[in-house]
Amino acid sequence: MVAGSTAAIALGTLIGAWFMPFLVGAAVGAVGRLRSARLWRGASAVALAGALGWALPLGRQALGGAPVGEVARTAAALAGLPPLATVTVSAALLIAVVQALVGFWVGRTVVPRRG
């Protein structure tokens, strides 16, 4: 589940679908509710997939020579944060995790319980 979710989020990220962690989280939450899966397992899986799904394309771009660090430092400075690339990248990955968890919660909420 983590590998498939990570791949879906990473592909969505590469094409500019920044909201993909939310959609994947909602799908995993809905399926988890239908299969009566444990809450913590699904939540952990989508949180990990959200972070990895955004980190892998960022790492690929950085290794390919894109100025990811410079853009991150500039964005941090403009946001009033310390001008460190790690702060901005960490904040971006945290946003992906939050999106995935909120999507997971929505997915579990909209699907009725079985039985």
Side-chain angles (χ1 to χ4, degrees), residues 5-92:
S5 298
T6 300
I9 292 170
L11 289 174
T13 301
L14 286 174
I15 63 169
W18 54 267
F19 50 86
M20 203 62 168
F22 178 83
L23 295 179
V24 169
V28 170
V31 169
R33 173 69 95 171
L34 289 173
R35 293 188 177 178
S36 300
R38 299 238 182 233
L39 178 66
W40 67 271
R41 278 187 168 166
S44 317
V46 297
L48 181 60
L52 285 175
W54 272 17
L56 293 174
L58 274 175
R60 180 180 166 269
Q61 290 174 352
L63 290 174
V68 174
E70 290 80 13
V71 171
R73 277 191 287 281
T74 302
L78 290 173
L81 300 170
L84 302 169
T86 55
V87 171
T88 307
V89 171
S90 298

Side-chain angles (χ1 to χ4, degrees), residues 80-112:
L81 300 170
L84 302 169
T86 55
V87 171
T88 307
V89 171
S90 298
L93 297 181
L94 180 62
I95 290 169
V97 169
V98 169
Q99 279 189 45
L101 289 173
V102 169
F104 179 76
W105 173 73
V106 168
R108 285 192 63 95
T109 302
V110 298
V111 174

